[in-house]
Amino acid sequence: MSVSPDQLPATSREWHLVSRPHGWPKPEDFALREVEMPQPGPGQVLVRNLVLSVDPYMRGRMSAAKSYVAPYELNEPMQGGAVGRVVASDVEGLQAGDHVLHYEGWREYAAVDAKYAVKVDPEAAPLSTYLGVLGMPGLTAYAGLLRVAGFKEGETVFVSGAAGAVGSQVGQIAKLKGAARVIGSAGSDDKVKLLVEEYGFDAAFNYKNGAVSQQLREAAPDGIDVYFDNVGGDHLEAAIGSLNRGGRIAVCGMISVYNATEPAPGPRNLARLIQTRGRIEGFLVGDHYDLQPQFVQEVGAWVRSGELKYRETVVEGIENNLEAFLGVLRGENTGKMIVTLES
């Protein structure tokens, strides 16, 4: 090992799911537990996590229902994106002091399979960006807009959840790629102002201020060609109602129904897709990792030049990891929600 065991604390803290939430998750569904320091096995490294990610998709993993990813096990540590510093390693290519991106989050220390640990450079970009603008949310935006929705220069794009980690990049990438008009929806007047004044959206509206369909028609009187869906519900119905001929809808997430206890009603205007020859396609970022090198090169350059801007909402302390996650579900974050642990 690269570090003597007596240089490490004897215990680590980690979040466990103790019961499966019905509707909105409650604090009693979770427990922050102190456990013995993890011991890395063959092919593993011990990582001190420094930055943790909380994301809407994690709500789905709290259910036992069959999905695209295995549910969290009860009374076991939950997983999520994390960046940390290697503190012990016998693995070739990784040594103590290296920083790695991995998916053993929701805990202070993790024994990580080296084959799933991606070395990152803290000098090239802040560690938190590897969980956001240059990480999974960024690639989700890039792949969803450019590949799944097939965005083309000169088109009009509508993005829901537009002030979030994914949505804010979708709108900016569309503008950088020559969109004629980009419209975003968000849940507060401050976020609407941010979209227009900082992120360069052509128009934005607060969905709490009136019917989404009416506000979208006012923002896009000539209709929309692409809708990037992070919300579902009334936003999806409104987008179908404003879709131009040949329009495409990329379904990334439906946060409006994640905590529903009854089946959510489908859009009432699906028949309009026949008239518009419209297309709806759901996608998972995991199917598009072949775009990673291209994404990092192109978006990394935009971030360095300042052409693509990003925000982070930062919560400090492992003890606040759950509240940060619940905050994402409540829409309290602007940009990527990040939990920082003391270094």
Side-chain angles (χ1 to χ4, degrees):
M1 302 295 285
S2 306
V3 170
S4 171
D6 59 12
Q7 294 178 274
L8 297 171
T11 61
S12 172
R13 290 180 292 173
E14 55 190 34
W15 281 96
H16 291 198
L17 184 69
V18 298
S19 60
R20 301 204 181 277
H22 181 70
W24 279 86
K26 303 180 293 295
E28 52 264 36
D29 294 323
F30 308 84
L32 178 60
R33 291 173 170 165
E34 190 165 337
V35 300
E36 290 185 4
M37 177 61 62
Q39 298 300 314
Q44 292 187 322
V45 295
L46 184 63
V47 177
R48 167 67 165 107
N49 285 332
L50 302 175
V51 191
L52 305 176
S53 177
V54 288
D55 302 280
Y57 81 86
M58 293 173 174
R59 176 61 183 88
R61 296 195 67 185
M62 294 171 189
S63 167
K66 185 177 181 180
S67 185
Y68 62 88
V69 64
Y72 290 134
E73 296 289 340
L74 293 180
N75 296 302
E76 295 289 340
M78 294 185 289
Q79 292 92 36
V83 177
R85 185 174 60 251
V86 175
V87 295
S89 173
D90 281 334
V91 177
E92 185 177 353
L94 286 176
Q95 59 186 12
D98 287 342
H99 291 81
V100 293
L101 167 68
H102 62 91
Y103 289 92
E104 302 297 326
W106 288 82
R107 66 199 87 180
E108 291 178 305
Y109 286 85
V112 179
D113 288 341
K115 62 183 177 181
Y116 298 126
V118 179
K119 193 183 297 187
V120 297
D121 183 359
E123 300 299 322
L127 293 177
S128 59
T129 63
Y130 295 106
L131 297 174
V133 66
L134 296 178
M136 181 267 288
L139 180 59
T140 300
Y142 190 85
L145 176 69
L146 302 181
R147 175 179 281 173
V148 179
F151 166 78
K152 298 184 288 290
E153 184 178 354
E155 292 187 318
T156 295
V157 176
F158 171 45
V159 188
S160 59
V166 174
S168 59
Q169 275 188 257
V170 172
Q172 292 184 81
I173 292 171
K175 290 295 292 183
L176 288 163
K177 290 284 190 178
R181 188 166 176 80
V182 174
I183 301 111
S185 73
S188 75
D189 292 341
D190 285 342
K191 289 181 179 180
V192 167
K193 183 178 180 182
L194 173 72
L195 292 176
V196 175
E197 295 184 0
E198 185 167 331
Y199 293 156
F201 283 57
D202 296 287
F205 60 85
N206 182 344
Y207 66 82
K208 297 176 182 176
N209 288 347
V212 174
S213 56
Q214 178 62 34
Q215 294 194 79
L216 179 57
R217 281 194 296 270
E218 293 172 358
D222 296 324
I224 62 173
D225 303 297
V226 168
Y227 170 48
F228 194 105
D229 190 16
N230 289 305
V231 173
D234 54 355
H235 282 74
L236 179 56
E237 186 170 296
I240 294 171
S242 286
L243 205 63
N244 290 331
R245 179 170 175 169
R248 290 88 62 206
I249 296 173
V251 180
C252 174
M254 292 193 173
I255 197 169
S256 69
V257 301
Y258 285 171
N259 297 302
T261 57
E262 299 293 334
R268 297 167 295 180
N269 57 350
L270 280 173
R272 193 170 185 277
L273 295 175
I274 303 169
Q275 172 191 343
T276 62
R277 289 74 151 178
R279 173 171 61 84
I280 301 180
E281 182 177 347
F283 75 99
L284 296 174
V285 67
D287 296 331
H288 302 280
Y289 275 109
D290 61 296
L291 291 176
Q292 180 85 15
Q294 174 184 326
F295 156 72
V296 171
Q297 181 179 21
E298 189 164 24
V299 175
W302 287 332
V303 171
R304 287 191 296 274
S305 69
E307 293 173 276
L308 193 148
K309 299 175 175 60
Y310 68 94
R311 289 282 190 97
E312 294 174 342
T313 300
V314 179
V315 172
E316 296 183 359
I318 186 73
E319 64 276 7
N320 295 314
N321 212 96
L322 174 60
E323 186 55 34
F325 167 70
L326 296 176
V328 170
L329 296 185
R330 293 190 293 256
E332 294 173 358
N333 57 302
T334 299
K336 184 76 186 77
M337 181 72 89
I338 293 292
V339 179
T340 60
L341 282 60
E342 61 183 19
S343 58

